[in-house]
Amino acid sequence: MAETMKLPFYIKLTAILVCLSTIFCILYFGQEIISPFLLALLFAIMLRPVVNFFIIRLKFPHIIAVVLSIVLFVTLFLGVFYFISIQITDMASDWGKIKANFLYHVEHLQQMIRDNFNLSKREQNEIIDQATNDTMNTGKQIVGSTLTSFADIVFNAILVPIYTFLFLYYQNHFVTFLSKVVKPENHRKLREVLFQIKVAVQSYITGLLFEMIAVAALTTVGFYFIGVEYFILLGIITGILNLVPYIGILFAGVLSIVVSLSGSTDLSIAVGVIVVNLVVQFIDNNILVPMFVNSKVQINAIVSIIGIIIGNVLGGITGMFLAIPMIAIVKVIFDRIDTLEPWGYLFGDDLPKTFEWHKIKIPMYSYQSTTTVLDVSTDIVAPEPEAIVKKEETNEGDNNDAL
């Protein structure tokens, strides 16, 4: 039997760093190719139960089941886009009122700046004109980059459904390929990995959809009661932007404040928007996320935030959306490989989620683990002096000699 060659630690560390650097370079420079590919993979995993329903329950051929699933998927997206476009059209019809309200708030803002910073309106207008001229100098570049981004969005919107169709159509072909790559004695572990990946991705995306609907509904109701004019549009946009973890809700809040102020001259509307967003986020973080998302994908907050930042660097908003499910897939693979299992545990969340007080479950934030039994203490204590340790070892040796 061939013996495994043992390499020094510094060689292993160098190899790991080189591999990670290569992976990051590939993801960064190939994001336009990889991002739609990964999106299609997630959507294919999500649509697999729909395909099975058409095949098993309705007895449709495989190709027809896949086509119908893609059609339903695209129709759903187009329906949401059409509804949002109608709301935006209604908002655009009130452009005159929006412009008047905007100028009203600008007038009050300039008055406040003049009273607090001793800048006259003429000086403020000069600063604005200078900034406008600087912006116009780079206007061509901005327009060019905007058109390029729009073209990329349209291209991906066409490419992702095609990739999704191919993933669903050639699913058995890909699984057979993996079974040929993996040794026969590891086929059982391969099936476990594929099953856990399917469960993790489907549960995570389903949880996100439920969370999106709940956040959109709560925000819409809240904006309606405080008198925001375009409450339906802002509620839907808030729910959609909430799909981007941590960052999306900030953009949604700023957008809601701006739109609410443009629709009314009452500044208290902005305070109401902030209160509604805070209440909805409290409900989302303490009820919706633990119920629909965190219960499906056990990833700790540190790894989630770092992954989202890396995803933003590598792939922008798409990378931020893909970060959590990709980490979940990596964690499933790590958990099934003995040498990588500690890293899977590091990615996971082993803390107790709630404790019960008078039959009421309350979020529990503690460092003590309840799901893993360790044979060592997790408390950090000062090491014993070396002399005492040697003395104890000597005493133990003397006692053994006496026995």
Side-chain angles (χ1 to χ4, degrees), residues 215 234 328:
V215 169
L234 294 177

Side-chain angles (χ1 to χ4, degrees), residues 255-280:
L255 179 63
S256 299
I257 292 174
V258 173
V259 174
S260 62
L261 289 178
S262 64
S264 173
T265 58
D266 189 2
L267 290 176
S268 62
I269 292 292
V271 178
V273 169
I274 295 175
V275 172
V276 169
N277 280 327
L278 290 177
V279 172
V280 171

